[in-house]
Amino acid sequence: MATSTAWRTPASYRRFVWFCSTFLLWYAALAAGEWLASVYIDTLPHTTSDEFFYVYTWIAIVNILSLAAGWVVSAKVRSWPLQYVYTLYFFTTYFIFYRNLFARLENPEQVVLLQASASVGIALVYPLRMARWVYCILAFVCRWGDDYPYEAYVRHLGRAFFLRNKAENATVLGFVCWVTILHYGPNRLHYPYFRFEQYGDVSYEYSLTVRASIYAWMSEFVASRIVRFIFRRVYKLNISADAVHDFCRYPHVVAAMVLVTIHVLQNILFAMIRLDFG
């Protein structure tokens, strides 16, 4: 039986309180990224295994926070457009600190190994997660009922991968633009690191940083094409067509996605210039 307090509390207010609680998850993601980036800078130089540890620790943290926010929005707030925007936010937040790795290169070999492993992992994991037997295991563990059938699971996973692609493209463009502005812009004297001069035995070059970022983007693009091809041929899912349908149904989501992306691209700049690269 509901208590008198629960009876007097409107459902809309409870949904609003749950929505406000998700802001803590937003800030927790940013704070965790700043902390990991600071630890990464303070413990230079790194081996390739250190780079892998940093990246996959960050992946685990972002995914945990994203799942928590997704559960709050879907189960308590019950807003599909809001869940769409939150998924984009956490993907772009993850790529903030992943892209900023390329502002502190140790050597090109680390970039190649790190990015190749990430792209191969994406090309393998997303199609695997869409398999029906994986859904059956998750449905048993999470106790999903008839309200979350396999078809809804596939569409949700496809939307998440579509948003991941948008975050990849936006953040690599933002990172290259910000590095170029800091390197050539009028305020370059205030940020001596981004002049990419010789530091000890390691030369951090602007051209190397940009080339590494473009290589990372090309690797991600190829992996996304492979995954999309598997989605279409094996699972009969066209995530671009589904996204267009979603945008036609909820056109206001497009403007919200643009604003969230701009906000996170600003965080890329703030994260770079606040770190002590010297």
Side-chain angles (χ1 to χ4, degrees):
M1 180 179 296
T3 64
S4 58
T5 302
W7 180 81
R8 292 196 304 267
T9 305
S12 59
Y13 179 75
R14 292 197 297 271
R15 292 172 62 191
F16 173 74
V17 172
W18 277 108
F19 168 69
C20 291
S21 70
T22 59
F23 292 145
L24 298 176
L25 299 174
W26 281 49
Y27 292 119
L30 284 175
E34 291 283 357
W35 177 76
L36 281 174
S38 298
V39 171
Y40 176 85
I41 294 299
D42 293 340
T43 55
L44 287 171
H46 293 295
T47 63
T48 302
S49 60
D50 294 333
E51 304 279 354
F52 275 87
F53 177 79
Y54 169 83
V55 170
Y56 285 99
T57 300
W58 178 226
I59 289 174
I61 291 173
V62 169
N63 280 318
I64 291 172
L65 294 174
S66 179
L67 287 172
W71 176 81
V72 171
V73 173
S74 62
K76 297 299 182 179
V77 182
R78 297 189 295 277
S79 172
W80 178 88
L82 191 60
Q83 187 175 7
Y84 208 93
V85 173
Y86 266 63
T87 302
L88 176 64
Y89 171 82
F90 280 101
F91 272 130
T92 49
T93 299
Y94 156 69
F95 280 111
I96 287 177
F97 300 99
Y98 181 73
R99 301 299 183 208
N100 284 351
L101 273 179
F102 298 108
R104 200 51 156 123
L105 296 175
E106 295 294 330
N107 59 66
E109 180 184 355
Q110 291 181 346
V111 179
V112 172
L113 291 175
L114 189 64
Q115 186 58 47
S117 66
S119 297
V120 171
I122 291 300
L124 293 176
V125 168
Y126 270 89
L128 181 64
R129 289 176 61 191
M130 200 165 280
R132 185 177 288 274
W133 64 269
V134 174
Y135 165 77
C136 292
I137 294 175
L138 292 175
F140 176 78
V141 173
C142 302
R143 300 191 179 277
W144 293 335
D146 295 335
D147 56 335
Y148 195 53
Y150 174 70
E151 291 73 17
Y153 169 80
V154 167
R155 288 195 302 271
H156 175 78
L157 194 59
R159 290 187 186 112
F161 188 72
F162 174 82
L163 294 173
R164 179 188 177 92
N165 292 163
K166 301 302 110 181
E168 289 171 347
N169 297 333
T171 52
V172 74
L173 178 62
F175 173 78
V176 172
C177 288
W178 286 132
V179 168
T180 302
I181 291 171
L182 292 173
H183 182 64
Y184 291 109
N187 293 326
R188 65 190 305 266
L189 297 178
H190 299 286
Y191 306 105
Y193 174 79
F194 290 97
R195 282 179 260 166
F196 293 96
E197 297 173 344
Q198 185 77 24
Y199 283 85
D201 297 330
V202 183
S203 179
Y204 300 94
E205 298 177 353
Y206 166 78
S207 60
L208 177 61
T209 302
V210 173
R211 288 199 307 270
S213 301
I214 294 175
Y215 158 75
W217 176 78
M218 291 176 62
S219 176
E220 293 163 353
F221 181 81
V222 171
S224 71
R225 294 301 103 182
I226 293 173
V227 173
R228 285 170 180 251
F229 176 78
I230 296 174
F231 282 176
R232 288 195 302 269
R233 296 299 295 269
V234 178
Y235 301 106
K236 311 303 179 186
L237 176 67
N238 188 329
I239 61 176
S240 296
D242 282 357
V244 171
H245 178 267
D246 293 336
F247 295 153
C248 291
R249 185 180 179 186
Y250 300 101
H252 59 282
V253 171
V254 178
M257 289 174 60
V258 172
L259 294 175
V260 167
T261 303
I262 292 173
H263 170 70
V264 177
L265 292 183
Q266 291 176 329
N267 288 337
I268 291 180
L269 174 64
F270 298 148
M272 281 195 296
I273 64 179
R274 288 185 60 191
L275 291 174
D276 182 11
F277 284 108

